[in-house]
Amino acid sequence: MDLATAVEAGARGLLLGVGALTPGHVLMLAIGCLLLFLGIRKGFEPLLLVPIGFGAILVNIPLAGLMEPGGVLRTFYDAGVLTEIFPILIFIGIGAMTDFGPLLENPRILLLGAAGQFGIFLTLLLALLLKFSLVEAVAIGIIGACDGPTAIYVASKYAPHLLGAVSVAAYSYMSLVPLIQPPIMRALTTESEKRVVMGSVQRSAAPTAKLVFPIATTIVTSIIAPLGTPLMGMVMLGNLLKEAGAVERLRLASQNEIANIVTLLLGISIGATMGADRFLRVETLMVLALGFIAIGLDTATGVLFGKLMCALPVWPRLRGSATTRRTTSSCTPWAPTPGGRSARSWPRPSCSRS
Amino acid sequence: MIGSELTLGLTLAVIGMGGTLLSLWLLSLLIVLLKRLFPLDKEGAAGPG
């Protein structure tokens, strides 16, 4: 081989990737960069959107083969997402970060959270009407739970081919809750309801009650819904580590090391499902639209149920507060913030009006 | 065909929401029971100090 042939072969090799680049790849690289921008510059769920965005970039590099059998992202995906291990481990961290004291203080508020779940089922119905299969409809409807790990768990279990779209929708809309919910809440509440002032928690539950709660809840809810045991069991295990006080190292590991490592691997794995050939489909747009509807319906039904609770005298402690409490309770009630504090505070209502 | 999907969806919605409300009502009963078994005042009085 002479020098000219060698140079030509080398140059051709260098340009192989460019030649294999399709408009779909370019679009997905742009979407990956957009997710990075939203996570880094706008602060929208950065812990997940950053690895998801970078995973989307990696998987759309032509000829890199990261999601081919044996590829590094494929290995993460098969080991952690297909087996459901990653979302399950995330739930231990969620449990370890969550304080159920306010919930124990006022358990009736659970019903408000339940009302918000109407959005899940109404979206499931819409998805069925749009010709999604039942399992796909379940995966799409769960976006209305406003809880990323739950959405990931359900999607990976029932419709792994929709995992990328469902995850992106769930985390994007969760970040946009402050924009999505207020117009719906304003439209559905009266002026007097808007003037309701929420009180604050006066006292928490007894330490023993907080310690027994995760054990008793695991047993009761798992008997009622055995298929939910992996999620509920892990949340409650994490919470038991927190409340036990005797296993500080495990609590700290669950809250920090395990949660952080799994969040990183989970995010990259989800991003890896966003290959151009799988993501750029009409059904992805439909999932995003249905996810938006799910959160809107979720909000609306939660507000309406809050109004009902305000109107009925059977919940005197909730009167005057249920409607405005809607923002903190209609979505999955125990999701903590990345900083480790509970994002949902359920204070004792004061029923006062300004 | 749409009718059968509508029926399935509505059935799932009714059963799902019914099950959700029932489960959470049971959970609220469990919490009330825990609070009665382990009242805060009693533990507070026996607490530190």
Side-chain angles (χ1 to χ4, degrees):
Chain A
M1 182 184 292
D2 62 9
L3 183 61
T5 311
V7 169
E8 186 189 340
R12 196 174 294 158
L14 286 174
L15 292 174
L16 266 182
V18 178
L21 200 64
T22 64
H25 288 134
V26 175
L27 182 56
M28 287 309 300
L29 289 173
I31 290 174
C33 291
L34 175 66
L35 294 176
L36 290 177
F37 173 77
L38 292 175
I40 296 169
R41 298 305 294 267
K42 295 293 179 184
F44 290 175
E45 301 287 343
L47 289 178
L48 265 150
L49 283 193
V50 171
I52 288 176
F54 206 79
I57 290 175
L58 287 175
V59 81
N60 285 291
I61 303 290
L63 307 179
L66 295 178
M67 272 302 267
E68 301 299 320
V72 62
L73 295 185
R74 179 65 176 268
T75 305
F76 287 155
Y77 178 81
D78 288 347
V81 178
L82 279 189
T83 58
E84 301 154 20
I85 293 294
F86 287 167
I88 290 288
L89 287 173
I90 290 273
F91 271 91
I92 299 180
I94 289 174
M97 293 179 210
T98 304
D99 178 12
F100 285 109
L103 172 64
L104 292 171
E105 196 267 336
N106 196 354
R108 293 174 182 85
I109 306 291
L110 274 173
L111 294 176
L112 267 182
Q117 311 301 308
F118 268 116
I120 294 175
F121 293 103
L122 293 177
T123 309
L124 187 151
L125 173 61
L126 278 178
L128 283 174
L129 293 176
L130 288 171
K131 303 294 178 192
F132 281 98
S133 69
L134 180 57
V135 288
E136 289 173 336
V138 167
I140 295 167
I142 203 67
I143 297 171
C146 298
D147 184 59
T150 307
I152 291 168
Y153 178 78
V154 172
S156 61
K157 191 175 182 71
Y158 293 112
H161 58 289
L162 293 181
L163 181 62
V166 168
S167 307
V168 168
Y171 279 100
S172 304
Y173 294 145
M174 275 165 57
S175 306
L176 294 173
V177 154
L179 297 177
I180 296 172
Q181 289 195 330
I184 299 170
M185 295 164 72
R186 273 196 292 272
L188 293 176
T189 48
T190 63
E191 284 306 313
S192 65
E193 286 166 341
K194 290 188 183 88
R195 285 197 294 272
V196 169
V197 176
M198 292 173 67
S200 58
V201 175
Q202 301 297 312
R203 60 179 195 172
S204 188
T208 311
K210 291 171 84 171
L211 178 64
V212 175
F213 175 72
I215 304 167
T217 302
T218 301
I219 294 170
V220 171
T221 57
S222 299
I223 289 171
I224 295 171
L227 289 180
T229 306
L231 290 190
M232 190 56 93
M234 292 304 116
V235 170
M236 291 301 156
L237 170 61
N239 191 248
L240 181 64
L241 298 179
K242 174 179 182 290
E243 300 297 344
V247 282
E248 274 301 285
R249 283 170 53 191
L250 295 184
R251 178 183 72 80
L252 290 172
S254 304
Q255 256 180 284
N256 300 307
E257 289 84 358
I258 294 175
N260 291 340
I261 291 169
V262 176
T263 298
L264 176 62
L265 295 178
L266 180 63
I268 294 178
S269 302
I270 292 169
T273 66
M274 294 170 64
D277 53 332
R278 295 177 69 178
F279 197 80
L280 294 178
R281 293 179 179 176
V282 175
E283 67 179 14
T284 302
L285 291 176
M286 291 168 75
V287 169
L288 295 176
L290 285 168
F292 186 82
I293 292 171
I295 290 185
L297 286 173
D298 181 31
T299 306
T301 51
V303 171
L304 293 174
F305 198 75
K307 288 164 74 82
L308 179 68
M309 293 175 84
C310 281
L312 293 177
V314 291
W315 290 299
R317 291 176 64 196
L318 294 177
R319 292 194 68 178
S321 65
T323 307
T324 48
R325 189 186 301 278
R326 163 73 194 81
T327 48
T328 61
S329 61
S330 78
C331 296
T332 304
W334 49 64
T337 61
R341 291 175 293 107
S342 173
R344 322 293 192 212
S345 60
W346 291 345
R348 177 191 290 273
S350 67
C351 300
S352 63
R353 289 168 190 269
S354 59
Chain B
M1 196 63 189
I2 286 180
S4 67
E5 282 149 356
L6 188 65
T7 307
L8 175 63
L10 286 174
T11 307
L12 286 172
V14 170
I15 293 176
M17 276 315 298
T20 302
L21 288 169
L22 181 65
S23 304
L24 290 178
W25 178 69
L26 287 173
L27 199 54
S28 69
L29 289 184
L30 174 70
I31 293 172
V32 170
L33 178 67
L34 284 178
K35 286 169 68 179
R36 290 211 177 141
L37 288 174
F38 310 106
L40 179 62
D41 294 340
K42 197 173 172 182
E43 290 200 19

